[in-house]
Structures are given as structure tokens and as C-alpha cells.
Amino acid sequence: MLKKNINIRIIFAFIFILLSFFQVNAQGWDIPADKKAKNSYIKFDSNTAKEGEAIYTKNCKSCHGDIGKGNGIKTLNPIPPDLASETSQKLTDGELIYILNVGRNAMPNFKNTLSEEERWKVISYIRSFNKQYVQVLSKTDPTKSKLVKVDFNFNAATNKVNVSVKANETSGVVVLKDAEIMLFVNRYFGKLQIDKTLRTDMDGNAVFSFPKDLPGDKLGNLELVIKVNDEIYGEIESIKKLQIGKPTDKPSLTEKRAIWNVLKLAPWWIIITYTSMVLIVGLFLLLIVRNLFKIKKLGEKV
Ligand code: HEC
């Protein structure tokens, strides 16, 4: 009996240590080095802080409370930090926008609800609570991303995707050197990264190794996505369909009867079970009503 108790205690202690380990792990934000160094292309001033305040009030205050007052909602775990706190202010601008982009636990991500400009303006407002903060401005000019042209093609002999990135400036064509560049293939449930994240060379080119036999659609079409991240030109995305996958004649996920499909294409077992349940319950109700009438009649006789 005693031995059993000790064993249970050891198990509980082990679970406790494991849980506290996760708790500690949950505190730091594990942010990639290149994201940390990202800076805003918008100069933070009292106007951007004011616009940021309006965005904050609408999107953040319900959880984080008033900045500097420490009145965030206490029922969440972890409690949303006061963004004037030293730990939050120690985060770089790149880390702050990364947190807004990805979210964590109860903290939602704002990548799709706020534009990049709005996200920087909220950060401008958060920074207005830090007197020691000195902004490092990014060299990115977001209006320039429209000038960029991404060309790419597949070389079947070498199994490589060759990409070239150029900008059509009024002064002439400029190649984008040393820009971060990634290749993805669109899949059912998101993007699949192909090869590593590369940087363009001195001529604005990059070469990705492409896997053989990647399943495409019936004709072997794959949708390739190139993402470029340049210090000056900002983020650029280019999408192109190429016939370089393995032709695969797989029916679409919504072509056949399946539980995730529309009512018309629900599996037979669901339709039969559901219909018979409704019928049985209906009959049962009818039976009750009939018996109630019977009781009423019996009562009238007496
Ligand atoms: C639904 C509640 C909720 C909303 C809305 C919300 N947050 Fe958060 N936020 C949290 C929680 C909870 C955390 C802590 C998450 C964690 O550490 O896992 C957090 C963490 C953060 C952090 C990291 C701070 C640090 O010191 O680690 C920042 C920065 C932040 N939020 C900014 C914002 C901004 C800006 C907005 C509005 C655009 C916002 N949050 C909206 C709940 C929220």
C-alpha cells in the first residue's frame, strides 16, 4: 500500500515538473533572427502614435487594457502583458510585428485583419510609452514593390527552378541583389516550401532544386509561389502555374460523399441514421399526444 502511494507521488511529481517545464518554455518568443532585425518603413511620430492609439483601442485594449496601467484581463492564461512593461519594451520592432503577425495562445494574429501600415502604427503607439526608445528606420519603400518583376522557369534537364528578380525603375532596370527569396508550391492545406531560403546573387538570380515526382493535378500542373523580401523593395510575391508535377488523377476532396461535404453529398449512413432518428422521435411524440387524448377521454367518462 505504502509503496503504491510513493509510486503515485513520483508520477505526480514527474507530471508537475513536466508541466512547469512547458510553462517556462511558453514565456520567451522564439523569433527567427532575420525577423528580429526588421524595422518599420513608417517614421514614428505623434501622428502615427495617435492613429495607432485608435487601432489599439479597437483591437487590443479588450485584452491588454490601457497601456501603462497594468489592467489587462486577468482571466486569460498567460495574462496579456502591459505593453509598457520593460519585458515588452525590450522586444525589437521586428519582434513586435512578428508577434502581431503570428499570435500565440489567446493572442490572435493580425496579419490579415490589420494592414502592415496599421500594424506599424500600433507599434508606434506602444513605443510612445518608452522615453528611451530610438527608432531605426527601414530603407524599404513599400511603393517600390510594384516595380519588381519576378521571372522564373523550370529546367527539366537539371530539375532546377531558375529565378531572376528585377525592378523597372524610371532610370532603367535594377537587379535585386542579396534579397531573401523562397519557393513554395501551393497544396490543399497551405504552402509547401521547396529547397532552402536563398539569397539572390549579384545578377539578381537564384536557383532552387526541385523535387521529381511532386504530385500535381490531372495534367501535372503545380502552382509555384516565389516570395522575395528585399531591404529596399519590400515583400513581393509572384505566382505561376507550371506543368512540372506528376499527373495525378485524384478526385477532389469534395467530389465524393464524405462527412465534410455538403448535405447533398453526405454519406448514406449519416442520411439514414439522421432520418430514422427524426422519424422515431416524431412517432414517439405522436404516441404521447395520442395517449394524452386517451387520458383526457377517460377523465371525461368519470
Ligand atoms: C484576445 C486577447 C488579446 C488581444 C485582442 C490582443 N492580445 Fe496581445 N497578447 C494576448 C496574450 C494572452 C498575450 C500573451 C501570449 C503569450 O505569451 O503566449 C499577448 C501578447 C502580446 C505581446 C507580447 C508581449 C510580451 O511582452 O511578450 C504583444 C506585443 C501584444 N500581445 C500586442 C498586441 C497588440 C498590439 C494587439 C492589438 C493589435 C493585441 N496584442 C491584441 C492577448 C491579446
Side-chain angles (χ1 to χ4, degrees):
M1 190 60 199
L2 191 71
K3 213 169 172 194
K4 218 176 178 181
N5 269 344
I6 290 173
N7 278 346
I8 287 173
R9 260 183 238 160
I10 290 174
I11 291 172
F12 271 117
F14 184 72
I15 292 175
F16 180 75
I17 291 168
L18 211 70
L19 284 180
S20 50
F21 174 74
F22 282 125
Q23 195 67 37
V24 170
N25 239 6
Q27 274 161 21
W29 291 84
D30 197 9
I31 298 174
D34 57 323
K35 301 279 194 278
K36 245 183 216 186
K38 196 176 159 102
N39 290 314
S40 164
Y41 57 82
I42 291 174
K43 171 117 187 57
F44 296 167
D45 55 25
S46 55
N47 287 330
T48 57
K50 204 159 177 209
E51 285 176 59
E53 182 177 1
I55 300 165
Y56 182 89
T57 307
K58 212 166 140 198
N59 297 280
C60 327
K61 198 177 153 175
S62 58
C63 290
H64 287 276
D66 301 290
I67 300 189
K69 297 222 173 108
N71 58 355
I73 43 172
K74 303 284 187 284
T75 44
L76 287 178
N77 182 21
I79 295 170
D82 185 334
L83 301 177
S85 68
E86 207 185 319
T87 39
S88 299
Q89 289 292 342
K90 261 196 191 147
L91 296 164
T92 65
D93 291 348
E95 289 175 309
L96 286 173
I97 198 147
Y98 181 83
I99 290 168
L100 288 183
N101 288 347
V102 301
R104 188 173 74 185
N105 294 321
M107 165 79 192
N109 81 67
F110 289 92
K111 187 140 192 168
N112 300 318
T113 35
L114 296 177
S115 69
E116 188 175 356
E117 201 179 311
E118 289 171 319
R119 277 173 270 147
W120 284 127
K121 283 178 179 165
V122 178
I123 293 170
S124 164
Y125 174 60
I126 296 171
R127 288 306 191 198
S128 69
F129 291 84
N130 181 352
K131 296 282 163 287
Q132 269 123 45
Y133 172 76
V134 183
Q135 189 186 13
V136 181
L137 207 61
S138 155
K139 283 184 238 149
T140 308
D141 179 352
T143 57
K144 282 194 158 198
S145 69
K146 292 186 190 72
L147 305 176
V148 177
K149 197 165 179 301
V150 181
D151 272 318
F152 55 104
N153 57 60
F154 177 68
N155 185 333
T158 56
N159 252 314
K160 306 254 190 229
V161 173
N162 301 307
V163 191
S164 107
V165 194
K166 295 189 179 82
N168 291 315
E169 293 278 0
T170 38
S171 55
V173 174
V174 177
V175 297
L176 270 66
K177 295 173 202 158
D178 199 34
E180 185 187 80
I181 184 161
M182 289 177 264
L183 169 62
F184 298 90
V185 169
N186 270 338
R187 305 265 85 184
Y188 270 133
F189 300 109
K191 291 187 172 73
L192 170 73
Q193 183 168 14
I194 306 288
D195 208 348
K196 300 185 297 267
T197 301
L198 303 177
R199 300 200 86 93
T200 52
D201 63 12
M202 294 306 286
D203 302 314
N205 297 329
V207 181
F208 293 94
S209 300
F210 201 81
K212 286 180 190 150
D213 301 334
L214 200 64
D217 65 5
K218 279 181 201 154
L219 299 170
N221 284 315
L222 288 174
E223 203 166 60
L224 270 64
V225 182
I226 297 274
K227 281 194 178 188
V228 181
N229 195 348
D230 182 77
E231 223 200 332
I232 296 165
Y233 291 90
E235 289 173 22
I236 303 115
E237 192 176 291
S238 174
I239 303 176
K240 192 151 88 176
K241 231 181 201 174
L242 292 178
Q243 208 173 7
I244 60 176
K246 208 169 91 181
T248 326
D249 201 1
K250 230 187 353 200
S252 128
L253 279 175
T254 49
E255 223 165 78
K256 284 192 182 161
R257 286 189 182 278
I259 46 174
W260 53 79
N261 219 330
V262 290
L263 195 57
K264 234 169 47 189
L265 285 170
W268 280 116
W269 67 267
I270 284 188
I271 297 176
I272 291 167
T273 328
Y274 177 76
T275 319
S276 42
M277 293 288 266
V278 171
L279 283 176
I280 289 169
V281 171
L283 282 174
F284 196 68
L285 285 177
L286 278 178
L287 209 73
I288 291 175
V289 172
R290 205 185 71 149
N291 282 344
L292 281 176
F293 271 111
K294 258 190 187 168
I295 292 170
K296 197 181 160 216
K297 268 193 190 150
L298 279 177
E300 279 164 3
K301 266 185 203 162
V302 173

